[in-house]
Amino acid sequence: MVAFALAMMGAEPVWNARGIVTDVRLKPGAPRRDAIVTTSGLFRDLYPNLIRLIDRAGRLALAASAATTVEEDPQLREPLTAALAPLPGASWGHETLADNRVAAGWLARTRTLRSGGMPLVDAGTAAAQRVFGDAPGAYGTGVNRLTERSGAWREREELGRAYRNRMGHAYGLDASGEANHAAFDVALSGIARTYHGRASNLYGLLDNNDAFDYPGGLSLAVETRTGRVPDAMILQHGQPGQADVEPLASALLGELRGRFLNPAWLKPLMGHGYAGARTMGQEFVENLWGWQVTRPDLVKSWAWDEVKAVYFDDAHGLQLPQFLGERHNVHVKAHMLAVFMVAAEKGYWKTDRATVRRMGGELARLVAANGLPGSGHTSPAHPMWQWLAPQLEDADARLLGVALARARGEAGLPAPPTPRATAHAGAAATAPLSARRTAGATPAPTPAPAPAPVRAYELLASPDAPAPVGLRVAGVLGALACACVLFALGVRRGARPILPQPSGSIP
C-alpha cells in the first residue's frame, strides 16, 4: 500500500547500495493523483518512517507546481511557503494544476478551510496534511465496536461521526498525532474512490472486523460527510507478481458464497465443535452485520435470506441447526438469531412476520433456558426486545419478559418455566376428563419430579467424596514420621564439632 500511495502521486522510492529505502523522489512526467492515507494504530507505531516518506512524496508533488500556483494567485505564496516548510530547499516547479492533481487538491482544500474562517497560512498548512489516524496510543476507528453494540445508536450517521472524531489526527513530517479534524473533514470531502490492500490468503473481508472498521468506516465517513458513497476497490496482492484490483462488491460477495455459504467449508468447521460454531457466529455473522451497516448498498436483504437458508433452514442438509443447538453452541445460535432480529428491527432485513415470530420465538426460548449470550446485540435494555416481544407467541413473550427482567436484576421474579415442564403441564391440562377421573380407582402415585434441565451458564462443581477414615489416619501418621526424621537429622548435624581453620599467609 505504501508503494501504491507513492505511485498515485507520481513518486518512487530511492534505495541505497544496500537495498534500503532512504528517500523518495518524483518521476518526471508521471501523472500525479491526490492521495489521502488513513493509518491503523499498529502501522503508525511500527512504521513511522514510511508515514514520513508518504508525506514527503506529497509535499514534493505540491512543490512541483508551486511556481505555477503563485503565478496564478500571488496571495498563495505565504501559505505555500508554510506548507513546504518541512522540505527546506525544495525547488518550486512549473507543472500545471491540470497535470498535478496533488497540487490542485491542496488548492481546493486551502480555499475550503479559508472560507470556513481559518487563517490563510494555517489553512495552507492544514491542507498539506494527507496521513490521518487515531490519537497516539489509540487503536481502531471505533466503528467495529459500535456496530457490535447495536443498541447504543439508531442512525448510521452516528457511526460516521465517530469515525471522523477518532481518525482526525494528523501524522507526517510536521505532525505527530495532533488533532486536526477540520483538515480531515475537508480531505474526506474530496475522496471519490477508496483502496484497501489484502496481502494474505488466510484472512478475508468477512472473518476480521478490521476490514469493515477501516475501509467500511472510511466509506461511511465519506458518505455522512458528502451524501455520496465512494467507489471501493480491493488491492489483491497475496500472490507475489500477481497483483490485481477487484471491486469491493465482487470481493465481498464472492467470499460470502465461496466460503461462508459453501458446504465444503462449513462441514469441516463443524468438526471443531464450539470453536467452529463461534467462527460462524462471532466472526462471520457479526462481520456481515458490520458490512451491512457501513455498506448497505452491497449487503442487501437477499444476503440475510441466503444465510438464514443455510444456517437455520439447513439448505445443504448438514444438520447445521442441530449443531448450533448442541451444548455451549446454543450461545452462538442465540447470538446469531439476535443479529438477525436487529437487522430486521433496523430495517435492513426485509422479511415477513411469520419468520420473525418463528426465529424470534426460538431466540426467546434459548434466552430463557440459557441466559443472554453476552452480546452487544442482546443487552437487556436493547430496543430490539421491545420491538420483538409484541410479535411473539404469548408463551414465548412471557418467557422472554421474565428472562430479561432477571438479567436486569429485578428481584422477586419466578424462574421461567422450562420447555419440558411446560409440555408436561399442557398434556395434563388437555387430557380428557374421563381419563383423569376413574370411579373407585386408587389414586396413582405422584411421579418423581423431573430433574432440572442443565443450563449452559450454570457451572456447578460436584463436591469431592470424603476419603476413607483409614487413609486419613495413615496420612497423618506418615506426616508425623517425616517430621520426626527431619528433626533427628537436624539435631545430629548440629552436634558435629567445628574444626579450627589453619592460619597462614597466602604467598
Side-chain angles (χ1 to χ4, degrees):
M1 289 303 296
V2 175
F4 182 78
L6 296 180
M8 288 275 289
M9 296 181 288
E12 63 182 0
V14 175
W15 288 271
N16 63 13
R18 298 173 58 192
I20 298 174
V21 174
T22 59
D23 200 357
V24 291
R25 64 190 174 200
L26 295 182
K27 298 172 65 176
R32 311 202 192 284
R33 302 175 180 87
D34 201 14
I36 302 297
V37 178
T38 59
T39 175
S40 67
L42 186 61
F43 188 92
R44 170 204 63 208
D45 294 346
L46 294 177
Y47 306 111
N49 56 320
L50 299 182
I51 290 177
R52 288 191 291 270
L53 286 179
I54 294 173
D55 187 28
R56 178 174 172 81
R59 294 176 194 265
L60 285 173
L62 174 60
S65 294
T68 303
T69 303
V70 171
E71 289 172 1
E72 294 181 358
D73 189 348
Q75 293 184 351
L76 295 174
R77 177 178 295 276
E78 194 172 356
L80 258 177
T81 301
L84 297 175
L87 297 181
S91 60
W92 290 28
H94 290 81
E95 291 185 7
T96 65
L97 296 182
D99 296 330
N100 188 346
R101 282 188 271 174
V102 175
W106 173 86
L107 180 59
R109 292 193 294 274
T110 299
R111 288 173 173 170
T112 301
L113 291 168
R114 180 69 185 93
S115 64
M118 186 178 292
L120 185 57
V121 174
D122 295 341
T125 303
Q129 303 293 347
R130 68 182 59 256
V131 182
F132 296 90
D134 42 16
Y139 300 88
T141 74
V143 171
N144 55 359
R145 301 307 177 199
L146 282 172
T147 58
E148 293 165 4
R149 292 161 175 80
S150 55
W153 52 272
R154 295 304 302 168
E155 302 297 335
R156 297 172 57 246
E157 288 74 11
E158 300 175 52
L159 279 68
R161 288 195 298 268
Y163 178 96
R164 288 157 49 196
N165 185 57
R166 281 186 63 90
M167 296 293 286
H169 300 262
Y171 292 89
L173 296 173
D174 60 348
S176 301
E178 295 82 3
N180 202 335
H181 293 90
F184 187 49
D185 282 348
V186 171
L188 290 175
S189 299
I191 292 178
R193 178 176 295 169
T194 66
Y195 296 89
H196 181 69
R198 302 300 301 170
S200 169
N201 292 319
L202 177 61
Y203 297 107
L205 298 170
L206 279 168
D207 57 9
N208 191 317
N209 64 6
D210 285 340
F212 72 82
D213 191 31
Y214 283 96
L218 175 60
S219 177
L220 180 57
V222 173
E223 180 186 352
T224 56
R225 173 75 181 170
T226 66
R228 52 178 173 77
V229 180
D231 294 335
M233 310 298 289
I234 302 297
L235 304 178
Q236 304 283 13
H237 50 99
Q239 297 292 337
Q242 299 181 17
D244 194 12
V245 181
E246 184 179 8
L248 173 62
S250 62
L252 183 65
L253 301 180
E255 185 177 329
L256 171 65
R257 289 202 171 103
R259 179 180 295 187
F260 294 99
L261 301 180
N262 187 350
W265 185 82
L266 290 170
K267 190 171 182 179
L269 197 62
M270 295 169 65
H272 291 274
Y274 175 74
R278 191 176 185 277
T279 299
M280 298 174 188
Q282 295 297 119
E283 296 184 11
F284 161 54
V285 173
E286 187 72 75
N287 295 333
L288 179 65
W289 166 250
W291 281 111
Q292 170 71 87
V293 174
T294 55
R295 289 300 300 254
D297 59 313
L298 301 181
V299 181
K300 299 183 181 296
S301 185
W302 64 260
W304 296 100
D305 290 335
E306 292 198 11
V307 175
K308 168 184 170 292
V310 170
Y311 286 84
F312 297 109
D313 299 339
D314 204 17
H316 295 315
L318 301 176
Q319 296 187 334
L320 261 176
Q322 293 84 346
F323 168 75
L324 292 172
E326 296 174 356
R327 297 175 58 80
H328 299 297
N329 296 357
V330 297
H331 294 300
V332 175
K333 191 173 189 179
H335 169 75
M336 295 171 70
L337 287 167
V339 175
F340 270 80
M341 295 299 99
V342 170
E345 186 264 336
K346 289 185 179 288
Y348 297 113
W349 182 35
K350 312 296 184 183
T351 189
D352 55 84
R353 293 180 63 87
T355 300
V356 172
R357 185 181 300 109
R358 179 172 63 84
M359 296 180 69
E362 184 177 8
L363 173 61
R365 293 188 292 274
L366 288 175
V367 168
N370 304 290
L372 295 172
S375 160
H377 306 293
T378 57
S379 161
H382 200 296
M384 180 269 292
W385 298 121
Q386 297 179 3
W387 169 85
L388 177 63
Q391 305 186 64
L392 300 178
E393 300 288 349
D394 291 342
D396 292 334
R398 285 194 297 271
L399 286 173
L400 179 62
V402 173
L404 292 178
R406 291 171 67 86
R408 290 191 292 266
E410 298 176 8
L413 291 168
T418 63
R420 179 182 299 178
T422 304
H424 288 316
T430 57
L433 182 60
S434 59
R436 286 184 280 141
R437 181 179 61 195
T438 304
T442 303
T446 304
V454 177
R455 298 173 185 268
Y457 61 88
E458 294 179 350
L459 304 178
L460 304 177
S462 58
D464 297 331
V469 177
L471 290 178
R472 285 184 287 170
V473 172
V476 173
L477 292 178
L480 290 175
C482 291
C484 292
V485 171
L486 292 175
F487 179 74
L489 290 175
V491 171
R492 182 179 179 183
R493 182 177 180 83
R496 291 180 179 177
I498 301 176
L499 299 179
Q501 299 293 327
S503 62
S505 61
I506 299 176

